[in-house]
């Protein structure tokens, strides 16, 4: 019981010491955006009754990753956070580029048929 009380006191003390800095706000915003992309993906998958990765998933990935990278590079200077967020940013940007190329290709195809 003493262990549990000690841990609870430690948690309450940490909450009292918490300070929201501008860089923490950036980090939290990035984390919320990066996490929310899964709710978007779940929504569209349930709506269309098939697995879907909507465009908004990739935009949320890019924006969330960029905010998290900014937080880890400038706000925290944490190499683990930088490395863990660099690759998702690259993949998300790549998928957006592929999508935009496909939209452009389809548009040119439609225009050539007219």
């Amino acid at each position: 019981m003493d262990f549990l009380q000690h841990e609870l006191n430690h948690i309450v003390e940490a909450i009292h010491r918490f300070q929201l800095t501008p860089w923490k706000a950036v980090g939290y915003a990035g984390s919320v955006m990066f996490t929310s992309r899964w709710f978007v993906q779940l929504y569209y998958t349930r709506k269309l009754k098939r697995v879907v990765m909507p465009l908004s998933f990739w935009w949320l990935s890019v924006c969330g990753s960029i905010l998290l990278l900014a937080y880890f590079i400038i706000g925290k200077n944490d190499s683990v956070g930088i490395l863990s967020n660099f690759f998702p940013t690259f993949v998300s940007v790549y998928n957006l580029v592929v999508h935009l190329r496909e939209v452009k290709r389809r548009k040119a195809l439609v225009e050539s048929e007219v």
Side-chain angles (χ1 to χ4, degrees), residues 43-73:
Y43 170 78
Y44 279 98
T45 295
R46 289 184 56 89
K47 180 180 176 181
L48 300 174
K49 298 188 183 348
R50 60 185 174 85
V51 177
V52 177
M53 299 302 265
L55 185 60
S56 55
F57 177 92
W58 299 114
W59 279 113
L60 286 167
S61 296
V62 168
C63 294
S65 292
I66 288 172
L67 288 174
L68 285 168
L69 274 173
Y71 170 72
F72 283 117
I73 291 171

Side-chain angles (χ1 to χ4, degrees), residues 28-113:
Y28 286 133
S31 185
V32 166
M33 290 181 88
F34 199 71
T35 302
S36 69
R37 68 200 178 115
W38 293 111
F39 292 104
V40 169
Q41 192 272 335
L42 177 66
Y43 170 78
Y44 279 98
T45 295
R46 289 184 56 89
K47 180 180 176 181
L48 300 174
K49 298 188 183 348
R50 60 185 174 85
V51 177
V52 177
M53 299 302 265
L55 185 60
S56 55
F57 177 92
W58 299 114
W59 279 113
L60 286 167
S61 296
V62 168
C63 294
S65 292
I66 288 172
L67 288 174
L68 285 168
L69 274 173
Y71 170 72
F72 283 117
I73 291 171
I74 301 167
K76 188 142 174 104
N77 194 15
D78 179 0
S79 60
V80 173
I82 293 167
L83 290 175
S84 65
N85 284 285
F86 179 75
F87 186 69
T89 305
F90 172 76
V91 172
S92 300
V93 168
Y94 174 78
N95 281 302
L96 280 174
V97 168
V98 169
H99 174 78
L100 293 172
R101 284 182 187 158
E102 178 63 18
V103 168
K104 188 176 179 180
R105 186 189 68 76
R106 286 182 189 174
K107 186 177 178 181
L109 185 63
V110 168
E111 288 175 355
S112 70
E113 290 177 357

Side-chain angles (χ1 to χ4, degrees), residues 18-32 67-68 71:
F18 175 78
Q19 293 180 355
L20 182 64
T21 64
W23 281 113
K24 279 187 183 176
V26 169
Y28 286 133
S31 185
V32 166
L67 288 174
L68 285 168
Y71 170 72

